[in-house]
Each structure stands twice: as C-alpha cells, then as structure tokens.
Amino acid sequence: MASDRPRQTQEQRRARTRGLVLDAAVACLLEQGYAATSIAEVQERAGVARGTLLHHFPTKNALVVGAVEHLAARRIDRFAADAALVPASTDRLSALVDLAWSGLSSPEFFTAAELWMAARTDEDLRAALRPVETATFARLQESLTSVLGPPHADDPRTPTLVTMTIELLTGLSLSTMLAGDLVDRATVLERWKRVLAVSLGDLSPDRLLDRGPA
C-alpha cells in the first residue's frame, strides 16, 4: 500500500541531511572539543555516507564553521526567548546582567571559546569564524538591549554599556573556566549591576560598593 506521507523534495532532503551533520558536529564539539572532532566521528554520529558529508562540508574547517553557525543560531534563539520571558516587574539592569551571564557561561560558549583559541594559530579558521562571531555579537547585543526597554534601550549610553557587559562577562567566564572558585563571580556580577545603575543615573555613585541589593 502506498504511503500517505508526502515525498520530500530534493531541497528538503538536502536540508535534513545537512541538519543531521551539523547536529552531530555540534555534539562532537560540545562533548569532545575541537581537537578530537573529526570528519569520521561526525559521519558516524550523523549516520551518513562519507561522500555525502564531504559534499556538504569538504574540509574539517568548513564543517566546524558550519557547526559554529548552527550553534550560534541556537545560542541567539535561546537568548531571544529568555529575554522575552523576563517579567515586566524585574529590575531590567539586573536582568540584563543575569541573562548575559547565563549565555556567556554555558557549554555552548565554552565551545565557541575553544574555537577562538584554535583560530589564533589557524589563519583559515580565523578568517572563517570572524564573520560568524561578528554576526553573533550583533544579535547578542540586540537581544540584551531589548531586555532593558524604555527609557534605557533608547539611551545613547546603552550600546557602549551593553558592549562592555558582554566583554566583561566573557573575560569573567574565561577566568572562571581556568581559576574555578578563585574567582568571586557573585561579587563581580553584583558590582557590575551597580556600575550600570550608576552609569545610567539609577543609583548614586556613593552606593557603588554597598553590600546587599541595589
């Protein structure tokens, strides 16, 4: 008996195969790291023929960059979804820092950071990653700014402060990865929330180092 399921088009089959390969590559990167991720390992996980994989991604760098784009899209979609769920009653500056930290201390972030390190000595990988990371940063900044809402989202100081938040928490996350509990994350996060509040005029400068909630 003929199946009632509609036949997939060639483009749909291609997209499905590409998705399987990218999901497998992301899983490899998250679980094993960049150095241990190989075309053979990804092929086995994806359950596709080697020729099929190489048709989509002829080199390891092409595969890794595709996986990073796939992973970046997931990270940004999660950011946007989490940003949309922040209750209206929540302190917006505090929510911005908490949301940024949740994304910049995740396994997905550490996978991206590992690739940055690999790209330091791999010119081809660096050139391929740069536009991906540029686009990811722009989307991340947009999502974080949306958390603030008016009037801060429209404040001319906000883009600089959001950029500084991303850069600070990126550094904090990398320090935490290396130093573990030697880094007092909670204090840094709390003080940065106060810096943002002081910078935007929501808090008096003399309260910058107060203990307890702002």
Side-chain angles (χ1 to χ4, degrees):
M1 184 175 67
S3 172
D4 292 333
R5 182 182 301 174
R7 295 182 61 184
Q8 291 184 324
T9 65
Q10 182 176 355
E11 185 59 31
Q12 288 173 327
R13 291 194 298 272
R14 184 178 183 279
R16 180 178 180 277
T17 299
R18 183 180 175 88
L20 288 173
V21 171
L22 290 176
D23 285 342
V26 167
C28 281
L29 289 169
L30 287 171
E31 294 172 19
Q32 301 179 188
Y34 172 72
T37 294
S38 67
I39 286 179
E41 173 73 13
V42 173
Q43 174 200 344
E44 182 176 347
R45 287 183 182 238
V48 300
R50 184 177 181 86
T52 299
L53 187 151
L54 293 176
H55 173 72
H56 290 275
F57 304 100
T59 65
K60 179 179 176 179
N61 273 3
L63 176 60
V64 167
V65 171
V68 170
E69 292 175 331
H70 196 56
L71 188 59
R74 277 177 23 184
R75 288 171 61 198
I76 293 302
D77 286 347
R78 185 179 304 166
F79 258 104
D82 289 345
L85 293 175
V86 175
S89 59
T90 301
D91 178 88
R92 312 311 284 182
L93 293 177
S94 181
L96 180 148
V97 174
D98 290 340
L99 181 62
W101 179 245
S102 71
L104 294 171
S105 59
S106 65
E108 290 83 359
F109 167 79
F110 289 124
T111 295
E114 183 181 5
L115 292 172
W116 299 343
M117 295 302 102
R120 185 183 71 84
T121 55
D122 187 328
E123 185 176 347
D124 290 340
L125 181 60
R126 184 166 66 252
L129 286 177
R130 187 177 291 119
V132 177
E133 291 302 328
T134 298
T136 301
F137 181 89
R139 290 284 308 280
L140 174 58
Q141 189 167 35
E142 179 183 327
S143 293
L144 290 175
T145 301
S146 73
V147 173
L148 294 177
H152 291 327
D154 301 321
D155 192 302
R157 295 167 292 189
T158 292
T160 296
L161 292 173
V162 171
T163 296
M164 292 174 67
T165 298
I166 296 170
E167 298 292 354
L168 173 74
L169 299 191
T170 295
L172 178 62
S173 189
L174 294 175
S175 296
T176 300
M177 179 177 66
L178 296 172
D181 292 338
L182 293 177
V183 179
D184 187 350
R185 299 178 295 276
T187 297
V188 173
L189 294 173
E190 183 58 36
R191 287 185 175 174
W192 185 246
K193 292 175 183 179
R194 291 175 179 277
V195 168
L196 293 178
V198 169
S199 299
L200 290 170
D202 291 357
L203 189 67
S204 171
D206 59 12
R207 294 200 53 206
L208 185 60
L209 299 181
D210 283 359
R211 295 183 180 275

mmCIF file of all heavy atoms in Angstrom, residues 153-203:
data_model
loop_
_atom_site.group_PDB
_atom_site.id
_atom_site.type_symbol
_atom_site.label_atom_id
_atom_site.label_comp_id
_atom_site.label_asym_id
_atom_site.label_seq_id
_atom_site.Cartn_x
_atom_site.Cartn_y
_atom_site.Cartn_z
ATOM 1 N N ALA A 153 16.752 51.510 26.797
ATOM 2 C CA ALA A 153 17.060 50.948 25.480
ATOM 3 C C ALA A 153 17.363 52.045 24.468
ATOM 4 O O ALA A 153 18.116 51.824 23.503
ATOM 5 C CB ALA A 153 15.902 50.093 24.989
ATOM 6 N N ASP A 154 16.795 53.243 24.676
ATOM 7 C CA ASP A 154 16.995 54.353 23.751
ATOM 8 C C ASP A 154 18.078 55.324 24.209
ATOM 9 O O ASP A 154 18.365 56.304 23.524
ATOM 10 C CB ASP A 154 15.682 55.128 23.562
ATOM 11 C CG ASP A 154 14.561 54.242 23.033
ATOM 12 O OD1 ASP A 154 14.855 53.395 22.173
ATOM 13 O OD2 ASP A 154 13.417 54.395 23.488
ATOM 14 N N ASP A 155 18.671 55.055 25.362
ATOM 15 C CA ASP A 155 19.706 55.934 25.903
ATOM 16 C C ASP A 155 20.970 55.803 25.045
ATOM 17 O O ASP A 155 21.403 54.682 24.749
ATOM 18 C CB ASP A 155 20.002 55.537 27.350
ATOM 19 C CG ASP A 155 20.840 56.579 28.085
ATOM 20 O OD1 ASP A 155 21.960 56.873 27.608
ATOM 21 O OD2 ASP A 155 20.395 57.061 29.135
ATOM 22 N N PRO A 156 21.589 56.893 24.641
ATOM 23 C CA PRO A 156 22.803 56.805 23.800
ATOM 24 C C PRO A 156 23.977 56.122 24.494
ATOM 25 O O PRO A 156 24.914 55.687 23.824
ATOM 26 C CB PRO A 156 23.118 58.276 23.482
ATOM 27 C CG PRO A 156 22.404 59.078 24.520
ATOM 28 C CD PRO A 156 21.184 58.297 24.863
ATOM 29 N N ARG A 157 23.920 56.016 25.814
ATOM 30 C CA ARG A 157 24.990 55.330 26.539
ATOM 31 C C ARG A 157 24.828 53.813 26.522
ATOM 32 O O ARG A 157 25.778 53.069 26.779
ATOM 33 C CB ARG A 157 25.030 55.816 27.995
ATOM 34 C CG ARG A 157 25.388 57.278 28.164
ATOM 35 C CD ARG A 157 25.109 57.784 29.568
ATOM 36 N NE ARG A 157 23.667 57.833 29.852
ATOM 37 C CZ ARG A 157 23.134 58.387 30.942
ATOM 38 N NH1 ARG A 157 23.920 58.915 31.862
ATOM 39 N NH2 ARG A 157 21.832 58.389 31.122
ATOM 40 N N THR A 158 23.640 53.346 26.219
ATOM 41 C CA THR A 158 23.341 51.919 26.353
ATOM 42 C C THR A 158 24.179 51.018 25.444
ATOM 43 O O THR A 158 24.680 49.987 25.914
ATOM 44 C CB THR A 158 21.842 51.679 26.128
ATOM 45 O OG1 THR A 158 21.119 52.265 27.224
ATOM 46 C CG2 THR A 158 21.516 50.199 26.068
ATOM 47 N N PRO A 159 24.359 51.318 24.154
ATOM 48 C CA PRO A 159 25.177 50.416 23.323
ATOM 49 C C PRO A 159 26.574 50.174 23.897
ATOM 50 O O PRO A 159 27.069 49.045 23.885
ATOM 51 C CB PRO A 159 25.229 51.141 21.974
ATOM 52 C CG PRO A 159 23.977 51.946 21.935
ATOM 53 C CD PRO A 159 23.778 52.407 23.348
ATOM 54 N N THR A 160 27.201 51.236 24.405
ATOM 55 C CA THR A 160 28.536 51.083 24.991
ATOM 56 C C THR A 160 28.478 50.219 26.237
ATOM 57 O O THR A 160 29.327 49.331 26.441
ATOM 58 C CB THR A 160 29.124 52.457 25.340
ATOM 59 O OG1 THR A 160 29.314 53.202 24.132
ATOM 60 C CG2 THR A 160 30.470 52.315 26.052
ATOM 61 N N LEU A 161 27.478 50.433 27.075
ATOM 62 C CA LEU A 161 27.370 49.673 28.320
ATOM 63 C C LEU A 161 27.043 48.207 28.052
ATOM 64 O O LEU A 161 27.544 47.316 28.756
ATOM 65 C CB LEU A 161 26.315 50.302 29.229
ATOM 66 C CG LEU A 161 26.680 51.687 29.782
ATOM 67 C CD1 LEU A 161 25.507 52.288 30.534
ATOM 68 C CD2 LEU A 161 27.909 51.599 30.690
ATOM 69 N N VAL A 162 26.222 47.935 27.050
ATOM 70 C CA VAL A 162 25.918 46.541 26.706
ATOM 71 C C VAL A 162 27.167 45.856 26.160
ATOM 72 O O VAL A 162 27.475 44.706 26.518
ATOM 73 C CB VAL A 162 24.759 46.467 25.689
ATOM 74 C CG1 VAL A 162 24.594 45.045 25.162
ATOM 75 C CG2 VAL A 162 23.455 46.925 26.338
ATOM 76 N N THR A 163 27.911 46.560 25.306
ATOM 77 C CA THR A 163 29.164 46.001 24.787
ATOM 78 C C THR A 163 30.132 45.708 25.928
ATOM 79 O O THR A 163 30.762 44.639 25.966
ATOM 80 C CB THR A 163 29.813 46.977 23.794
ATOM 81 O OG1 THR A 163 28.967 47.134 22.663
ATOM 82 C CG2 THR A 163 31.162 46.460 23.321
ATOM 83 N N MET A 164 30.257 46.631 26.858
ATOM 84 C CA MET A 164 31.153 46.434 27.997
ATOM 85 C C MET A 164 30.702 45.262 28.863
ATOM 86 O O MET A 164 31.517 44.511 29.399
ATOM 87 C CB MET A 164 31.234 47.713 28.826
ATOM 88 C CG MET A 164 31.945 48.854 28.111
ATOM 89 S SD MET A 164 31.885 50.419 29.039
ATOM 90 C CE MET A 164 32.902 49.990 30.466
ATOM 91 N N THR A 165 29.383 45.084 28.980
ATOM 92 C CA THR A 165 28.851 43.944 29.735
ATOM 93 C C THR A 165 29.264 42.634 29.086
ATOM 94 O O THR A 165 29.735 41.709 29.761
ATOM 95 C CB THR A 165 27.313 44.032 29.812
ATOM 96 O OG1 THR A 165 26.941 45.218 30.516
ATOM 97 C CG2 THR A 165 26.741 42.814 30.535
ATOM 98 N N ILE A 166 29.114 42.548 27.779
ATOM 99 C CA ILE A 166 29.491 41.327 27.061
ATOM 100 C C ILE A 166 30.985 41.058 27.221
ATOM 101 O O ILE A 166 31.405 39.924 27.497
ATOM 102 C CB ILE A 166 29.112 41.443 25.574
ATOM 103 C CG1 ILE A 166 27.592 41.540 25.417
ATOM 104 C CG2 ILE A 166 29.649 40.245 24.787
ATOM 105 C CD1 ILE A 166 27.140 41.897 24.007
ATOM 106 N N GLU A 167 31.797 42.093 27.048
ATOM 107 C CA GLU A 167 33.249 41.914 27.129
ATOM 108 C C GLU A 167 33.675 41.528 28.544
ATOM 109 O O GLU A 167 34.521 40.633 28.733
ATOM 110 C CB GLU A 167 33.961 43.196 26.689
ATOM 111 C CG GLU A 167 33.690 43.613 25.255
ATOM 112 C CD GLU A 167 34.298 42.655 24.241
ATOM 113 O OE1 GLU A 167 35.023 41.726 24.635
ATOM 114 O OE2 GLU A 167 34.036 42.834 23.037
ATOM 115 N N LEU A 168 33.122 42.188 29.546
ATOM 116 C CA LEU A 168 33.470 41.881 30.939
ATOM 117 C C LEU A 168 33.093 40.448 31.294
ATOM 118 O O LEU A 168 33.895 39.700 31.873
ATOM 119 C CB LEU A 168 32.758 42.853 31.884
ATOM 120 C CG LEU A 168 32.901 42.524 33.378
ATOM 121 C CD1 LEU A 168 34.301 42.862 33.863
ATOM 122 C CD2 LEU A 168 31.861 43.261 34.214
ATOM 123 N N LEU A 169 31.876 40.048 30.947
ATOM 124 C CA LEU A 169 31.412 38.716 31.330
ATOM 125 C C LEU A 169 32.083 37.623 30.507
ATOM 126 O O LEU A 169 32.231 36.492 30.986
ATOM 127 C CB LEU A 169 29.891 38.630 31.213
ATOM 128 C CG LEU A 169 29.115 39.604 32.116
ATOM 129 C CD1 LEU A 169 27.634 39.263 32.133
ATOM 130 C CD2 LEU A 169 29.659 39.624 33.532
ATOM 131 N N THR A 170 32.499 37.950 29.285
ATOM 132 C CA THR A 170 33.311 36.995 28.518
ATOM 133 C C THR A 170 34.623 36.731 29.251
ATOM 134 O O THR A 170 35.030 35.575 29.425
ATOM 135 C CB THR A 170 33.600 37.539 27.108
ATOM 136 O OG1 THR A 170 32.371 37.640 26.377
ATOM 137 C CG2 THR A 170 34.547 36.615 26.356
ATOM 138 N N GLY A 171 35.266 37.799 29.690
ATOM 139 C CA GLY A 171 36.507 37.641 30.450
ATOM 140 C C GLY A 171 36.292 36.914 31.766
ATOM 141 O O GLY A 171 37.096 36.057 32.154
ATOM 142 N N LEU A 172 35.199 37.236 32.456
ATOM 143 C CA LEU A 172 34.903 36.569 33.727
ATOM 144 C C LEU A 172 34.672 35.079 33.516
ATOM 145 O O LEU A 172 35.129 34.248 34.309
ATOM 146 C CB LEU A 172 33.659 37.205 34.356
ATOM 147 C CG LEU A 172 33.169 36.594 35.672
ATOM 148 C CD1 LEU A 172 34.220 36.723 36.765
ATOM 149 C CD2 LEU A 172 31.857 37.255 36.114
ATOM 150 N N SER A 173 33.981 34.747 32.436
ATOM 151 C CA SER A 173 33.708 33.340 32.154
ATOM 152 C C SER A 173 34.996 32.575 31.865
ATOM 153 O O SER A 173 35.201 31.461 32.363
ATOM 154 C CB SER A 173 32.755 33.233 30.961
ATOM 155 O OG SER A 173 32.310 31.909 30.787
ATOM 156 N N LEU A 174 35.885 33.175 31.079
ATOM 157 C CA LEU A 174 37.157 32.519 30.779
ATOM 158 C C LEU A 174 38.011 32.392 32.042
ATOM 159 O O LEU A 174 38.671 31.366 32.246
ATOM 160 C CB LEU A 174 37.908 33.300 29.700
ATOM 161 C CG LEU A 174 37.247 33.315 28.324
ATOM 162 C CD1 LEU A 174 38.017 34.216 27.375
ATOM 163 C CD2 LEU A 174 37.138 31.905 27.749
ATOM 164 N N SER A 175 37.999 33.406 32.889
ATOM 165 C CA SER A 175 38.739 33.338 34.149
ATOM 166 C C SER A 175 38.188 32.243 35.048
ATOM 167 O O SER A 175 38.934 31.499 35.688
ATOM 168 C CB SER A 175 38.676 34.687 34.883
ATOM 169 O OG SER A 175 39.307 35.694 34.139
ATOM 170 N N THR A 176 36.863 32.131 35.077
ATOM 171 C CA THR A 176 36.216 31.094 35.883
ATOM 172 C C THR A 176 36.583 29.712 35.384
ATOM 173 O O THR A 176 36.836 28.787 36.164
ATOM 174 C CB THR A 176 34.690 31.281 35.859
ATOM 175 O OG1 THR A 176 34.364 32.565 36.388
ATOM 176 C CG2 THR A 176 33.996 30.211 36.684
ATOM 177 N N MET A 177 36.638 29.561 34.055
ATOM 178 C CA MET A 177 36.979 28.277 33.462
ATOM 179 C C MET A 177 38.367 27.828 33.909
ATOM 180 O O MET A 177 38.605 26.652 34.182
ATOM 181 C CB MET A 177 36.933 28.383 31.938
ATOM 182 C CG MET A 177 37.292 27.098 31.196
ATOM 183 S SD MET A 177 37.117 27.281 29.400
ATOM 184 C CE MET A 177 38.405 28.481 29.049
ATOM 185 N N LEU A 178 39.285 28.786 34.035
ATOM 186 C CA LEU A 178 40.664 28.457 34.389
ATOM 187 C C LEU A 178 40.894 28.428 35.895
ATOM 188 O O LEU A 178 41.623 27.577 36.408
ATOM 189 C CB LEU A 178 41.617 29.468 33.740
ATOM 190 C CG LEU A 178 41.645 29.467 32.208
ATOM 191 C CD1 LEU A 178 42.470 30.631 31.696
ATOM 192 C CD2 LEU A 178 42.212 28.150 31.695
ATOM 193 N N ALA A 179 40.287 29.389 36.603
ATOM 194 C CA ALA A 179 40.591 29.559 38.030
ATOM 195 C C ALA A 179 39.540 28.967 38.958
ATOM 196 O O ALA A 179 39.766 28.866 40.166
ATOM 197 C CB ALA A 179 40.781 31.049 38.345
ATOM 198 N N GLY A 180 38.389 28.591 38.425
ATOM 199 C CA GLY A 180 37.349 27.982 39.244
ATOM 200 C C GLY A 180 36.869 28.902 40.352
ATOM 201 O O GLY A 180 36.565 30.075 40.128
ATOM 202 N N ASP A 181 36.843 28.385 41.575
ATOM 203 C CA ASP A 181 36.294 29.128 42.698
ATOM 204 C C ASP A 181 37.193 30.254 43.186
ATOM 205 O O ASP A 181 36.827 30.991 44.106
ATOM 206 C CB ASP A 181 36.016 28.167 43.870
ATOM 207 C CG ASP A 181 34.867 27.207 43.558
ATOM 208 O OD1 ASP A 181 34.062 27.555 42.678
ATOM 209 O OD2 ASP A 181 34.791 26.141 44.186
ATOM 210 N N LEU A 182 38.385 30.390 42.599
ATOM 211 C CA LEU A 182 39.246 31.504 42.975
ATOM 212 C C LEU A 182 38.656 32.839 42.516
ATOM 213 O O LEU A 182 39.020 33.894 43.027
ATOM 214 C CB LEU A 182 40.644 31.324 42.366
ATOM 215 C CG LEU A 182 41.461 30.146 42.900
ATOM 216 C CD1 LEU A 182 42.786 30.058 42.152
ATOM 217 C CD2 LEU A 182 41.715 30.306 44.397
ATOM 218 N N VAL A 183 37.751 32.781 41.558
ATOM 219 C CA VAL A 183 37.091 33.979 41.061
ATOM 220 C C VAL A 183 35.750 34.137 41.780
ATOM 221 O O VAL A 183 34.913 33.236 41.764
ATOM 222 C CB VAL A 183 36.850 33.887 39.540
ATOM 223 C CG1 VAL A 183 36.133 35.136 39.037
ATOM 224 C CG2 VAL A 183 38.174 33.698 38.815
ATOM 225 N N ASP A 184 35.554 35.281 42.433
ATOM 226 C CA ASP A 184 34.302 35.552 43.143
ATOM 227 C C ASP A 184 33.289 36.099 42.142
ATOM 228 O O ASP A 184 33.113 37.309 41.996
ATOM 229 C CB ASP A 184 34.554 36.558 44.276
ATOM 230 C CG ASP A 184 33.324 36.742 45.162
ATOM 231 O OD1 ASP A 184 32.236 36.253 44.787
ATOM 232 O OD2 ASP A 184 33.445 37.385 46.209
ATOM 233 N N ARG A 185 32.638 35.196 41.446
ATOM 234 C CA ARG A 185 31.723 35.587 40.374
ATOM 235 C C ARG A 185 30.561 36.431 40.889
ATOM 236 O O ARG A 185 30.194 37.431 40.268
ATOM 237 C CB ARG A 185 31.188 34.337 39.674
ATOM 238 C CG ARG A 185 32.264 33.494 39.021
ATOM 239 C CD ARG A 185 31.672 32.252 38.389
ATOM 240 N NE ARG A 185 31.090 31.357 39.375
ATOM 241 C CZ ARG A 185 31.788 30.468 40.072
ATOM 242 N NH1 ARG A 185 33.085 30.351 39.879
ATOM 243 N NH2 ARG A 185 31.207 29.672 40.946
ATOM 244 N N ALA A 186 29.978 36.020 42.001
ATOM 245 C CA ALA A 186 28.788 36.717 42.507
ATOM 246 C C ALA A 186 29.087 38.182 42.804
ATOM 247 O O ALA A 186 28.284 39.069 42.492
ATOM 248 C CB ALA A 186 28.270 36.010 43.761
ATOM 249 N N THR A 187 30.249 38.441 43.401
ATOM 250 C CA THR A 187 30.607 39.823 43.718
ATOM 251 C C THR A 187 30.829 40.638 42.455
ATOM 252 O O THR A 187 30.376 41.787 42.360
ATOM 253 C CB THR A 187 31.880 39.856 44.596
ATOM 254 O OG1 THR A 187 31.606 39.201 45.836
ATOM 255 C CG2 THR A 187 32.305 41.289 44.871
ATOM 256 N N VAL A 188 31.516 40.062 41.481
ATOM 257 C CA VAL A 188 31.753 40.780 40.222
ATOM 258 C C VAL A 188 30.431 41.111 39.541
ATOM 259 O O VAL A 188 30.213 42.246 39.083
ATOM 260 C CB VAL A 188 32.646 39.946 39.275
ATOM 261 C CG1 VAL A 188 32.749 40.620 37.907
ATOM 262 C CG2 VAL A 188 34.028 39.758 39.875
ATOM 263 N N LEU A 189 29.528 40.149 39.482
ATOM 264 C CA LEU A 189 28.238 40.378 38.828
ATOM 265 C C LEU A 189 27.434 41.446 39.548
ATOM 266 O O LEU A 189 26.838 42.338 38.918
ATOM 267 C CB LEU A 189 27.448 39.069 38.761
ATOM 268 C CG LEU A 189 28.035 37.967 37.868
ATOM 269 C CD1 LEU A 189 27.256 36.676 38.040
ATOM 270 C CD2 LEU A 189 28.039 38.390 36.406
ATOM 271 N N GLU A 190 27.403 41.380 40.871
ATOM 272 C CA GLU A 190 26.641 42.353 41.644
ATOM 273 C C GLU A 190 27.220 43.759 41.476
ATOM 274 O O GLU A 190 26.486 44.735 41.302
ATOM 275 C CB GLU A 190 26.628 41.963 43.120
ATOM 276 C CG GLU A 190 25.800 42.889 44.009
ATOM 277 C CD GLU A 190 24.350 42.989 43.577
ATOM 278 O OE1 GLU A 190 23.795 41.971 43.113
ATOM 279 O OE2 GLU A 190 23.770 44.087 43.694
ATOM 280 N N ARG A 191 28.538 43.855 41.513
ATOM 281 C CA ARG A 191 29.152 45.178 41.370
ATOM 282 C C ARG A 191 28.970 45.732 39.963
ATOM 283 O O ARG A 191 28.822 46.941 39.782
ATOM 284 C CB ARG A 191 30.628 45.116 41.760
ATOM 285 C CG ARG A 191 30.804 44.971 43.263
ATOM 286 C CD ARG A 191 32.240 45.024 43.696
ATOM 287 N NE ARG A 191 32.319 44.990 45.156
ATOM 288 C CZ ARG A 191 33.462 44.904 45.841
ATOM 289 N NH1 ARG A 191 34.623 44.844 45.185
ATOM 290 N NH2 ARG A 191 33.447 44.893 47.155
ATOM 291 N N TRP A 192 28.961 44.850 38.958
ATOM 292 C CA TRP A 192 28.731 45.346 37.610
ATOM 293 C C TRP A 192 27.302 45.852 37.441
ATOM 294 O O TRP A 192 27.069 46.845 36.745
ATOM 295 C CB TRP A 192 29.048 44.281 36.560
ATOM 296 C CG TRP A 192 28.926 44.834 35.172
ATOM 297 C CD1 TRP A 192 28.025 44.495 34.219
ATOM 298 C CD2 TRP A 192 29.723 45.874 34.592
ATOM 299 N NE1 TRP A 192 28.206 45.249 33.072
ATOM 300 C CE2 TRP A 192 29.251 46.106 33.284
ATOM 301 C CE3 TRP A 192 30.809 46.624 35.070
ATOM 302 C CZ2 TRP A 192 29.815 47.060 32.443
ATOM 303 C CZ3 TRP A 192 31.377 47.572 34.220
ATOM 304 C CH2 TRP A 192 30.877 47.782 32.931
ATOM 305 N N LYS A 193 26.360 45.193 38.084
ATOM 306 C CA LYS A 193 24.986 45.706 38.052
ATOM 307 C C LYS A 193 24.933 47.121 38.630
ATOM 308 O O LYS A 193 24.224 47.997 38.112
ATOM 309 C CB LYS A 193 24.061 44.780 38.844
ATOM 310 C CG LYS A 193 23.851 43.420 38.209
ATOM 311 C CD LYS A 193 23.019 42.510 39.110
ATOM 312 C CE LYS A 193 22.874 41.115 38.518
ATOM 313 N NZ LYS A 193 22.088 40.202 39.386
ATOM 314 N N ARG A 194 25.701 47.332 39.689
ATOM 315 C CA ARG A 194 25.735 48.662 40.305
ATOM 316 C C ARG A 194 26.414 49.679 39.384
ATOM 317 O O ARG A 194 25.985 50.831 39.296
ATOM 318 C CB ARG A 194 26.454 48.607 41.650
ATOM 319 C CG ARG A 194 25.674 47.845 42.718
ATOM 320 C CD ARG A 194 26.493 47.705 43.998
ATOM 321 N NE ARG A 194 25.725 46.993 45.003
ATOM 322 C CZ ARG A 194 24.825 47.556 45.797
ATOM 323 N NH1 ARG A 194 24.610 48.861 45.723
ATOM 324 N NH2 ARG A 194 24.165 46.841 46.690
ATOM 325 N N VAL A 195 27.481 49.254 38.710
ATOM 326 C CA VAL A 195 28.156 50.147 37.767
ATOM 327 C C VAL A 195 27.179 50.591 36.682
ATOM 328 O O VAL A 195 27.127 51.776 36.310
ATOM 329 C CB VAL A 195 29.381 49.448 37.139
ATOM 330 C CG1 VAL A 195 29.904 50.256 35.956
ATOM 331 C CG2 VAL A 195 30.488 49.273 38.175
ATOM 332 N N LEU A 196 26.395 49.666 36.154
ATOM 333 C CA LEU A 196 25.409 50.013 35.134
ATOM 334 C C LEU A 196 24.375 50.997 35.685
ATOM 335 O O LEU A 196 24.016 51.980 35.011
ATOM 336 C CB LEU A 196 24.703 48.759 34.627
ATOM 337 C CG LEU A 196 25.552 47.760 33.833
ATOM 338 C CD1 LEU A 196 24.706 46.545 33.443
ATOM 339 C CD2 LEU A 196 26.153 48.404 32.598
ATOM 340 N N ALA A 197 23.900 50.739 36.906
ATOM 341 C CA ALA A 197 22.894 51.614 37.505
ATOM 342 C C ALA A 197 23.455 53.018 37.749
ATOM 343 O O ALA A 197 22.772 54.018 37.521
ATOM 344 C CB ALA A 197 22.394 51.007 38.820
ATOM 345 N N VAL A 198 24.712 53.090 38.197
ATOM 346 C CA VAL A 198 25.353 54.394 38.396
ATOM 347 C C VAL A 198 25.541 55.100 37.053
ATOM 348 O O VAL A 198 25.263 56.299 36.906
ATOM 349 C CB VAL A 198 26.709 54.231 39.120
ATOM 350 C CG1 VAL A 198 27.497 55.537 39.088
ATOM 351 C CG2 VAL A 198 26.495 53.791 40.565
ATOM 352 N N SER A 199 25.993 54.357 36.038
ATOM 353 C CA SER A 199 26.275 54.947 34.721
ATOM 354 C C SER A 199 25.021 55.524 34.073
ATOM 355 O O SER A 199 25.099 56.508 33.332
ATOM 356 C CB SER A 199 26.883 53.889 33.799
ATOM 357 O OG SER A 199 28.105 53.400 34.317
ATOM 358 N N LEU A 200 23.879 54.904 34.347
ATOM 359 C CA LEU A 200 22.624 55.358 33.738
ATOM 360 C C LEU A 200 21.807 56.250 34.670
ATOM 361 O O LEU A 200 20.668 56.600 34.356
ATOM 362 C CB LEU A 200 21.798 54.143 33.303
ATOM 363 C CG LEU A 200 22.376 53.384 32.106
ATOM 364 C CD1 LEU A 200 21.648 52.065 31.887
ATOM 365 C CD2 LEU A 200 22.323 54.236 30.839
ATOM 366 N N GLY A 201 22.399 56.608 35.812
ATOM 367 C CA GLY A 201 21.741 57.546 36.705
ATOM 368 C C GLY A 201 20.677 56.959 37.591
ATOM 369 O O GLY A 201 19.903 57.699 38.214
ATOM 370 N N ASP A 202 20.610 55.632 37.701
ATOM 371 C CA ASP A 202 19.612 54.993 38.550
ATOM 372 C C ASP A 202 20.085 54.817 39.988
ATOM 373 O O ASP A 202 19.287 54.469 40.863
ATOM 374 C CB ASP A 202 19.251 53.604 37.993
ATOM 375 C CG ASP A 202 18.486 53.687 36.692
ATOM 376 O OD1 ASP A 202 18.181 54.814 36.248
ATOM 377 O OD2 ASP A 202 18.192 52.629 36.111
ATOM 378 N N LEU A 203 21.357 55.033 40.231
ATOM 379 C CA LEU A 203 21.928 54.780 41.550
ATOM 380 C C LEU A 203 22.998 55.822 41.834
ATOM 381 O O LEU A 203 23.769 56.193 40.941
ATOM 382 C CB LEU A 203 22.556 53.375 41.587
ATOM 383 C CG LEU A 203 23.028 52.839 42.937
ATOM 384 C CD1 LEU A 203 21.840 52.592 43.856
ATOM 385 C CD2 LEU A 203 23.823 51.545 42.739
#
